[in-house]
Amino acid sequence: MTDVQSPFHATTILLVRKGGKVVVGGDGQVSMGPTIFKSSARKVRRLSGGKVIGGFAGATADAFTLFERLEAKLEQYPQQLLRAAVELAKDWRTDRYLRRLEAMMLVSDKSTSLVLTGTGDVLEPEHGVAAIGSGGSYALAAARALIDTDLDAEEIVRRSMRIAAEICVYTNHELVLETLDTE
């Protein structure tokens, strides 16, 4: 269900939870205006000793700041992704510095997947699928169409991201995937 309309260009991040796995995939394109600045950026990473995976859309420095803050919240609230995300969202909305950060995040652990926004949203996606970024709507639609097939989570992410890259000029075919076992 979740595709939070994003003002952020230059990326597509997709999360699919299916069949005992959660997969987060992101493309590698970084655009500056109409120019492709880099084609192999890494916008998906592991946190909390590999127990959490996440991806970001938006300003890179802002996203790294948010990943650092989330990592600190996960240390404060070990194995409580939802609580750590809510605490981060509170800080993000109320802290004068953090409020100016322009990024969105998809994060997941074994049991919970979330979309985090700078407006204080901490959303749990329906149907095990969420997407953010300029190509998020395309990737989300493709993943929703494929979720009830025999394809596994990783193949759904790969195919959906390929479709998004064929439609969205801010998305390319250079994928980074991270996977967690949920069982």
Side-chain angles (χ1 to χ4, degrees):
M1 170 217 94
T2 306
D3 169 41
V4 179
Q5 287 299 322
S6 171
F8 308 118
H9 296 295
T11 199
T12 301
I13 305 294
L14 175 64
L15 178 149
V16 173
R17 179 181 289 273
K18 181 181 179 184
K21 299 211 181 284
V22 61
V23 179
V24 176
D27 76 309
Q29 185 165 307
V30 176
S31 301
M32 297 180 92
T35 304
I36 297 172
F37 187 75
K38 185 175 182 176
S39 64
S40 60
R42 185 170 176 85
K43 303 171 202 169
V44 176
R45 61 191 49 230
R46 289 184 173 274
L47 304 164
S48 193
K51 295 176 186 161
V52 174
I53 53 177
F56 71 86
T60 305
D62 293 354
F64 286 152
T65 298
L66 291 168
F67 273 134
E68 288 173 6
R69 295 288 182 120
L70 180 58
E71 187 81 58
K73 295 294 183 187
L74 288 165
E75 288 176 13
Q76 190 175 357
Y77 306 105
Q79 298 184 11
Q80 298 180 62
L81 177 60
L82 180 58
R83 173 119 189 243
V86 168
E87 294 300 321
L88 173 64
K90 285 181 195 175
D91 291 351
W92 198 351
R93 284 215 22 112
T94 59
D95 183 275
R96 178 175 274 174
Y97 167 72
L98 291 178
R99 207 174 24 226
R100 291 183 173 84
L101 299 182
E102 296 182 0
M104 295 177 71
M105 300 169 69
L106 287 178
V107 294
S108 190
D109 65 8
K110 287 173 52 167
S111 59
T112 306
S113 297
L114 302 167
V115 179
L116 309 176
T117 74
T119 58
D121 295 318
V122 178
L123 305 168
E124 193 164 2
E126 291 180 331
H127 311 292
V129 179
I132 58 174
S134 59
S137 295
Y138 311 118
L140 178 70
R144 289 282 304 273
L146 296 171
I147 198 74
D148 291 329
T149 67
D150 292 337
L151 298 175
D152 66 14
E154 182 175 327
E155 188 59 26
I156 291 171
V157 169
R158 288 185 184 285
R159 288 185 185 196
S160 299
M161 291 294 291
R162 186 171 47 242
I163 289 167
E166 291 170 0
I167 299 169
C168 178
V169 298
Y170 296 107
T171 303
N172 70 11
H173 291 84
E174 299 292 323
L175 296 182
V176 172
L177 301 178
E178 291 288 348
T179 303
L180 282 177
D181 290 326
T182 60
E183 297 173 343

